Amino acid sequence: MANTGSPCNAQPTLPIISDDKAHGQPLWLLAELTYKCPLQCPYCSNPLDFSDFGGELTTQQWLDVFQQGRDLGAVQLGFSGGEPLVRQDLIQLIGGAHEMGYYTNLITSGVGLNEHKMAEFQQAGLDHIQVSFQASDESVNNMLSGSKKAFEQKLKMAKEVKAQGYPMVLNFVTHRHNIDRIDRIIELCVELDADYVELATCQYYGWAYENVEQLLPTRAQLERAERITNEYRAKLAAEGNPIKLIFVTPDYYEERPKGCMNGWGQVFLTVTPDGKALPCHSARMLPIEFPNVTEMSLQAIWDTSPGFNHFRGNTWMKEPCRSCDEKEKDFGGCHCQAFMLTGDMYNADPVCAKSEHHHLIEEARERAEAVVNNPDEFTFRNERNSKVFAKG
């Protein structure tokens, strides 16, 4: 997808810090503990050049971040990655966060997890485990993950999550290679006695953006999947099954942008493995200088740093956002998406039909109709490919 428009640094007159709207507090803290991962999913949200970043925060540095987050009012803490199970100190981090009063959530592929670890995590106070799948079909799941044993391991660990009394939360990233099996995906979730299932149609950031041609479903595929999901909702409800099916539509098939992260720097805060603090997990791609928790307190980062104030309020907005009657609802949409598609993070999100760049979204939809599925064309998320991106 070609970039058009002027670069972001061509907007020097737009304000960096906006004080026209009070900001909230970081209720949700996402701790990206590591970029290491045994899998190589081609839709991973990690930065393309993750191999170029420095060392990870120590155990004590993470615990300090957690305490600072609690002092600011954060109540929910997600352990993410990469694969957070790679961290040898995960049980210490879980225990420390529990003692501080967080509701803790482990977001994992399940690879590296076992019954013993799960029991230890529960004893340390872990509240919630979310297991991700690539597909309901073993061959597709393993092809996408780059592991011949991933699907079998995920099934085993999903069952163990339920056996040990955790809420059963499953995540399936759906795309053109698995969305036509949405019925089988839902059936698998029912078989596993899941409580919540996120059928998250792929969003195109990070590695997914590099693979958009191979991942974006057609409109017909998407409409069929949503219809089948609604049919299963009705069927399961009639049977008294309390499973919750959450269907997430991709931005590329919307005409209005989402209110990204409920507003820039309003309720959500991510800390990366090397300590960068971000208002969303994709923001590292933007030409903004974000602070590091090793150099600045979390309170100063949240309240006063230029990075977190960059898109607060609406004085930064250009047209059509500036005069739009929906600007308090969608906040101009996603700045990362605007940057990826137009080269200018100040532009309206091209998902919006009012954007002069909306044709880029429409063209992507048209290309999806003509694509022939070919997994050999994927750019997989791995160290080797990341080093290529890091070199430019």
Side-chain angles (χ1 to χ4, degrees), residues 230-256:
N230 286 332
E231 290 171 358
Y232 267 95
R233 283 172 175 154
K235 174 177 178 288
L236 292 166
E239 295 171 354
N241 190 321
I243 186 173
K244 304 296 183 186
L245 302 178
I246 303 166
F247 189 90
V248 182
T249 305
D251 289 358
Y252 278 43
Y253 284 99
E254 300 287 359
E255 297 300 315
R256 286 289 182 272

Side-chain angles (χ1 to χ4, degrees), residues 15 66 103 140 190 192 289 300 351 353:
F66 299 166
Y103 182 90
V140 176
V190 173
L192 291 171
E289 187 62 37
V351 165

Side-chain angles (χ1 to χ4, degrees), residues 25-225:
Q25 64 189 87
L27 300 176
W28 217 112
L29 176 61
L30 182 67
E32 291 186 328
L33 300 178
T34 181
Y35 285 141
K36 298 183 180 72
C37 184
L39 305 184
Q40 57 173 7
C41 307
Y43 47 75
C44 181
S45 62
N46 285 171
L48 298 174
D49 56 348
F50 67 83
S51 64
D52 202 35
F53 299 131
E56 298 171 1
L57 296 181
T58 66
T59 306
Q60 189 55 54
Q61 285 173 322
W62 273 118
L63 292 173
D64 289 344
V65 167
F66 299 166
Q67 186 58 63
Q68 290 180 58
R70 281 294 289 145
D71 292 343
L72 281 171
V75 294
Q76 185 158 332
L77 174 62
F79 298 107
S80 180
E83 174 50 69
L85 292 169
V86 172
R87 289 281 300 217
Q88 298 302 303
D89 59 353
L90 182 55
I91 191 167
Q92 295 170 262
L93 298 177
I94 291 171
H98 174 71
E99 290 178 5
M100 295 174 198
Y102 279 104
Y103 182 90
T104 51
N105 179 15
L106 175 63
I107 304 166
T108 177
S109 67
V111 176
L113 192 59
N114 57 46
E115 296 90 336
H116 178 67
K117 284 184 180 179
M118 206 178 293
E120 285 190 326
F121 294 160
Q122 189 171 58
Q123 188 173 6
L126 183 65
D127 296 295
H128 180 122
I129 300 176
Q130 176 182 302
V131 180
S132 64
F133 280 79
Q134 282 73 25
S136 60
D137 176 83
E138 183 171 8
S139 61
V140 176
N141 189 102
N142 293 349
M143 177 274 292
L144 289 167
S145 67
S147 169
K148 295 180 180 179
K149 298 180 179 180
F151 187 72
E152 181 181 350
Q153 170 70 5
K154 289 170 182 290
L155 284 180
K156 183 179 179 181
M157 288 303 101
K159 293 174 183 177
E160 188 63 25
V161 165
K162 192 74 175 182
Q164 295 208 19
Y166 288 100
M168 166 68 85
V169 183
L170 300 181
N171 174 270
F172 282 81
V173 177
T174 61
H175 43 77
R176 67 183 300 119
H177 287 267
N178 66 8
I179 199 168
D180 291 334
R181 299 297 308 276
I182 194 78
D183 52 348
R184 178 56 193 141
I185 289 174
I186 296 172
E187 289 287 352
L188 176 61
C189 296
V190 173
E191 291 167 17
L192 291 171
D193 198 18
D195 297 298
Y196 298 90
V197 179
E198 186 173 9
L199 303 167
T201 315
C202 194
Q203 306 289 359
Y204 299 98
Y205 303 89
W207 294 83
Y209 182 68
E210 294 299 313
N211 291 293
V212 62
E213 302 290 345
Q214 280 297 320
L215 291 170
L216 185 65
T218 65
R219 182 179 292 279
Q221 283 182 301
L222 187 66
E223 290 176 348
R224 175 182 176 275

Side-chain angles (χ1 to χ4, degrees), residues 292-314:
N292 195 295
V293 297
T294 63
E295 300 169 351
M296 196 173 184
S297 74
L298 216 55
Q299 179 164 3
I301 287 171
W302 183 260
D303 289 336
T304 67
S305 70
F308 273 76
N309 280 286
H310 211 107
F311 291 111
R312 281 174 173 158
N314 54 42

Side-chain angles (χ1 to χ4, degrees), residues 238-281:
E239 295 171 354
N241 190 321
I243 186 173
K244 304 296 183 186
L245 302 178
I246 303 166
F247 189 90
V248 182
T249 305
D251 289 358
Y252 278 43
Y253 284 99
E254 300 287 359
E255 297 300 315
R256 286 289 182 272
K258 60 180 178 287
C260 197
M261 311 313 296
N262 290 310
W264 180 276
Q266 294 299 317
V267 296
F268 188 87
L269 192 155
T270 293
V271 179
T272 67
D274 58 336
K276 284 279 186 182
L278 306 172
C280 86
H281 56 270

